[in-house]
Amino acid sequence: MAFSQTILDSSGDHPLLDGLNADQRAAVLATEGAVLVLAGAGSGKTRVITHRIAWLVDPLGVPAWQILAMTFTNKAAREMGERVGHAVGSRSRDLWLGTFHSVGVRLLRQLAGWAGLQPSFSIYDTDDQGRLLAKICKAQNIPESHYKPKQFASYIDKAKNRCLGPDDGRLHEAAFGAFEKKALAVYEHYERDMRLANAVDFGDLIMRPVQVLAKDPEVCANLARRFRYVLVDEFQDTNFAQFELLKFLTSAHGNLCVVGDDDQSIYSWRGAEVGNILSFPEVFAPATVIKLERNYRSTATILKASTALVQGNRNRHGKVLWTESGEGDPITLAALPSDRDEADWVARTVDGMRDRVKLSQIAVFYRTNACSRVLEDSMRRFRLPYVLLGGMKFYERAEVKDALAWCRLLVNPDDSAGFLRAVTSPKRGIGDTTLDAVQAHAARANLSAPEAARDLLRRGEGGRNREKLDGFFKLVDGMRDGIDHLRANQVGERVLALSGLRKALQDEGSPESQDRLENLQQLLAAMSEHADSADEPTLRSFLENVALVADVDALNADKERLALMTMHSAKGLEFDVTFVVGLEEGLCPHANVVNESARDGRDLEEERRLLYVAMTRARKKMHLSYAKQRRRFDGLDMPTQPSRFLQQVPRELVQVERVQDWRSALPWGAPAPGLRSAPAPAAVSRSGAWSPSRPSALPGSLLSPHQRAAGPGDDVPVIDRGGSADGFAPGGKARHARFGLGQVLDIAGYGGDAQITLNFPGYGVKKVIARYLSPA
DNA sequence: GACGTGGCCGTTTTT
DNA sequence: CGGCCACGTC
């Protein structure tokens, strides 16, 4: 601190401090010791962190490699890296900057020996974990009717978040219930198999380094000396294990700066402890506490509404956010007859502002992923380009996972999950019988699945599938040759070509297989990009990153598309215009959480914070909406009540739009008699608030919702159907290499990419891409 | 061993 | 309604 002061005194000011307010400056300058920055939404948090890092590097002259900065998303890490790079140039490359999990991988790679792992260990994702647990359940004769693998996954996750390994006495003491007893047994079995497969899961990435550091003071001291300055973003989301890691890493000097906002704590369900941020000043006493309360993002209206909402919570530090921005537009609150009308309303409103607002500056937030489908439908019908965050992630697609399974097996010969997947994709005549035998042998001989398979072959016991299995391993071993000296994409290309994955898809020739081939091509592109930009161009390095990418990272502001995402994904982002939809009881707050007595109402408070996070994303204009009727997953339309949270939004900030039956629908109830300043009745907006630019694309139901009869005729298709493409016509014939001659039933799309539905005698109805067909 | 069909189950949020 | 899994058939 004295050092900073000197620099300030001599130069008077510094470009890095330009444009920072007094609190922000204080946060940048308090470099030594423990610092807690309570940063309200939109208070310039990222700016403070990046300037602080830059300040450490230059003028303070701290070598970049002595600085460790951790975030929760790759996107935040990347943004931070870019902004620091802007300030200090190439020196930023030496920073240790990444997500908790990526830093965990790096640490664990170095500590592998201490943790009893080979450095080539694999990272099992939730899917691999689930499969393994299902296998264990079967082996332990646990009927899935009673406990589901998912429950065990959650148990294990929770244990690891608290750094409790399966041998931990505290876990055994707590195992009195039937479930806990079973879960603990499953956990033990699970860890055994993970070790054999030389694999770790997400929880291990934090817990294992912590265990090593706790056990070995010397290793800990070395590491703590290496990182002289540690920074953490979104500190309110850290769990116990992460907090432990921080304590060890800073044990030599205590230079720990954490930035967070208790009002934005929305991850308690996955182990985040708000207590970490609340107790920080005591745990790291004496700590400097700095509050950033000036909001630079939103209009006064949006800020007031958000603040009013979150003030409904009792458990909070209590900041008072303020802004010098003007009032701006009122908040729009729309009540729509149904979820479909709501989605159409969003689409239409977006469509109506396209000439004024860039699509990339618009986002729609909802509580559950399931809400996205109806929105997607509307976006498609209105021909609005969109990105969907969440949902099926690229790296979760079957074909991508198949290719990655091969890659993992190349890098880590013990990767059981990778082996079990690769050996059956593409199909090579090896099935459950063989693999059951392999796994039985693996369990007996304490081997990973692939090693067990090799062992069976060596003993001449491969059964009928000896040769197939043998061929598989020859293929794998051949591919493995020299992979450490090749670029990731070169190995990837080798995998696609030699595994038969590409050929299998090419032979299929369906529209889906075409998509899948493109996904594989995209995978190669991602590998190539990684090889160009990462420290290490190898496949191993690529796989490390792949396991840790989330979908938000794909959000690309360059593309002119609006974004659809859950409220959780919204954290850390900002947009000019936002829509927060589905504000209904049971959805937001969610039905599983509305019980106020549960956990002292803390769950309910988290729901409120979640909405607060969503609301504080908007810079200029916010739309809130709810549907009076929502279709459940079983297809039934259920009546709904407006969210209780809407009552906490001051009505003078809100303009009600397009409400059918507005007296009963308003969350505040019927207006007081004679109240002239009540929001405009719905009729006003109904009559002409919209002038549809593309009437043909608009379903008439928006104007008269009750005329809509749900049914197949409801959809206005985007793709023109019934035309001919490349000489094919419905009713005509076409030839396919595998299926032979077939009758064309339907054509969708144009040119070589057209999707043609045909009936092949003996094969049935298939969808095929035009370019895979030849004229009859 | 591969592939097809039928039953069942589910949706809170994810690094 | 739709996706996944278990079971049955070829």
Side-chain angles (χ1 to χ4, degrees), chain A residues 339 342 582 584 587 627 629-632 636-638 640:
Chain A
D339 50 351
E342 184 185 47
E584 296 135 33
L587 196 54
Q629 175 177 294
R630 184 166 295 274
R631 189 166 296 184
R632 261 191 342 195
L636 277 174
D637 285 316
M638 300 298 284
T640 65

Side-chain angles (χ1 to χ4, degrees), chain A residues 607-619:
Chain A
E607 291 287 302
R608 193 180 275 109
R609 289 195 294 270
L610 186 55
L611 180 54
Y612 172 75
V613 166
M615 287 173 64
T616 49
R617 300 305 101 194
R619 282 193 280 255

